[in-house]
Amino acid sequence: MKELAKDNSIVPVQGIAEFIQDVRLRKISGSLKLASRTLKLLMDLVSKESWNTAEQLLALIRNQGLFLAEAIPHDIVVANTIRRVMKIVREEYDSSRVVHFDDGQSILSLHKLVTQGADPERDDYSKPMPGLKNALVDHLSEVETELETTGDSISAQAAEHIHSAELIMTIGYSRAVEKFLRKAAETRPIEVVVVECAPDCRGQQLAANLGRAKIQTTLISDAAIFAIMSRINKIIIGTHSVLANGGLQAVCGTYSLALSAKHFSVPVIVLAPTYKLTPVHLCNYEQGDFNILGNTEAVLPFESLAARFTKAYNPLFDYVPPELVTLFITNNGTNAPSYIYRLIGELYHPDDNQL
């Protein structure tokens, strides 16, 4: 907000204002749709806007990205997509610079790999590079294809992690989890316990979908998690985002689920596409900074007598520390929580962690 206050001349390019409005009206929902739409806007920015150097393009993306991130701060995948595109711009510029100055040799020598940190031109993006725009468009098209195949890449690993006749528990509704369980059920019999995740009770939708797929499914209330946990073989959940330390910003109720799993030594497996990995740390436990408050009408109707003198809060997310997570399954493979920092280092440039 401070940077926006300093520069009041930031005007969103065509499409960004409409995108923000659609997100706020819930016409666009779901992390994959948000990431894909953000990437499409940035591809238009690269291909249609006027810029001559990588430095100008980075400034353009940063300004528009800051506008987006400030307008919809809780949809972290939007900021993640912006950061990744900025990393791609830097990589393509460095690659073009190597080709241009090393007579077509695109592979750095061992000496240059060791000494490139001392290269004074390494972080200088002010020189125009021929062919940079075309290279960026091609690279971003590859990222777009990667986003489209993310769900298939994760579900393809189901057979490695779910074995025959296992009892699996999950919470709420996640498209990734549904696809993962459906894929596992194609080759082996499994039984699924779904926690309904009150008060929104989105777990009911997942239970109904799995039931239609001929998967034996049991729907339980949040209060029954601890009672049934001793029978569970594995917990497989989705997440809203994965923080830099390997912690989760997940649907409310996940923390109590993970604590119960730790008590009974049940492994917790998290399905996390790479676009949900974010270089953000949980700085404090204030709910206003981390959480979103939902509607409490399902718990305490507005017209009820108790609503006159009662304050009700419906937080949408829980913070789950990395110690309670056993394994992450991404579209690039499986990783322990302690390895998340390395994946984030490969996805984003340190200078872009703060937009």
Side-chain angles (χ1 to χ4, degrees):
M1 289 300 289
K2 293 180 181 178
E3 293 186 33
L4 281 176
K6 291 178 184 176
D7 186 5
N8 294 322
S9 62
I10 297 178
V11 177
V13 298
Q14 183 179 5
I16 286 185
E18 292 85 350
F19 172 61
I20 293 172
Q21 184 71 3
D22 288 344
V23 172
R24 288 178 171 175
L25 294 176
R26 297 301 175 190
K27 293 181 179 179
I28 302 176
S29 61
S31 298
L32 179 58
K33 291 181 180 179
L34 287 169
S36 299
R37 184 70 181 272
T38 303
L39 181 63
K40 186 68 172 66
L41 289 172
L42 294 176
M43 289 175 69
D44 291 341
L45 201 67
V46 170
S47 60
K48 297 178 181 179
E49 292 298 314
S50 176
W51 54 274
N52 296 317
T53 65
E55 186 177 50
Q56 293 176 359
L57 179 58
L58 286 171
L60 180 63
I61 294 174
R62 188 181 298 277
N63 287 339
Q64 298 298 323
L66 185 62
F67 187 90
L68 264 174
E70 293 288 353
I72 41 180
H74 290 289
D75 291 311
I76 298 180
V77 293
V78 173
N80 291 345
T81 306
I82 295 163
R83 293 186 183 102
R84 186 170 184 190
V85 170
M86 294 179 74
K87 173 73 178 289
I88 290 171
V89 172
R90 297 174 191 275
E91 287 179 344
E92 289 296 338
Y93 177 84
D94 289 338
S95 177
S96 299
R97 186 169 65 85
V98 170
V99 171
H100 184 72
F101 290 105
D102 291 358
D103 297 324
Q105 296 180 3
S106 59
I107 302 177
L108 289 170
S109 66
L110 179 61
H111 173 72
K112 289 181 179 178
L113 285 171
V114 174
T115 60
Q116 63 183 352
D119 185 358
E121 295 184 356
R122 181 167 176 75
D123 294 324
D124 180 14
Y125 300 99
S126 60
K127 295 181 180 180
M129 285 292 168
L132 179 60
K133 178 177 286 190
N134 292 334
L136 283 173
V137 171
D138 292 341
H139 198 150
L140 293 178
S141 297
E142 294 175 5
V143 175
E144 186 177 28
T145 303
E146 178 189 327
L147 282 178
E148 294 172 355
T149 59
T150 293
D152 295 332
S153 300
I154 292 178
S155 61
Q157 304 174 59
E160 302 172 15
H161 300 280
I162 298 180
H163 307 295
S164 181
E166 280 193 327
L167 185 59
I168 310 297
M169 178 179 279
T170 187
I171 184 170
Y173 178 77
S174 167
R175 293 184 181 90
V177 171
E178 180 183 348
K179 196 167 187 176
F180 193 83
L181 295 175
R182 280 172 175 265
K183 187 69 175 178
E186 290 178 0
T187 56
R188 62 208 62 192
I190 62 171
E191 185 177 349
V192 181
V193 176
V194 181
V195 182
E196 65 178 0
C197 197
D200 294 333
C201 297
R202 296 196 64 201
Q204 296 177 3
Q205 180 183 352
L206 177 59
N209 293 349
L210 294 178
R212 282 192 287 268
K214 308 301 181 183
I215 299 173
Q216 186 174 351
T217 307
T218 304
L219 182 69
I220 65 171
S221 68
D222 299 45
I225 290 175
F226 192 84
I228 200 174
M229 185 60 69
S230 60
R231 296 179 53 210
I232 302 298
N233 298 115
K234 286 187 180 75
I235 291 175
I236 298 177
I237 58 175
T239 182
H240 182 72
S241 63
V242 180
L243 305 182
N245 65 340
L248 306 179
Q249 183 185 17
V251 65
C252 193
T254 307
Y255 182 53
S256 58
L257 178 72
L259 284 175
S260 299
K262 182 179 181 181
H263 181 80
F264 288 100
S265 299
V266 178
V268 176
I269 299 175
V270 180
L271 308 184
T274 51
Y275 57 80
K276 290 188 177 183
L277 306 183
T278 180
V280 173
H281 290 270
L282 180 64
C283 298
N284 58 58
Y285 290 88
E286 291 294 332
Q287 292 294 315
D289 296 335
F290 177 80
N291 227 322
I292 307 175
L293 295 179
N295 190 358
T296 59
E297 181 71 18
V299 177
L300 187 68
F302 180 75
E303 296 180 353
S304 67
L305 181 63
R308 299 178 184 179
F309 52 87
T310 305
K311 287 186 178 180
Y313 297 94
N314 179 22
L316 299 186
F317 299 120
D318 268 348
Y319 171 69
V320 181
E323 307 85 58
L324 300 181
V325 178
T326 307
L327 192 69
F328 285 98
I329 300 179
T330 71
N331 45 301
N332 295 329
T334 58
N335 299 101
S338 58
Y339 196 76
I340 291 298
Y341 80 97
R342 182 66 181 270
L343 297 179
I344 288 175
E346 294 173 357
L347 287 172
Y348 313 119
H349 193 278
D351 293 345
D352 303 328
N353 288 350
Q354 185 67 39
L355 289 177

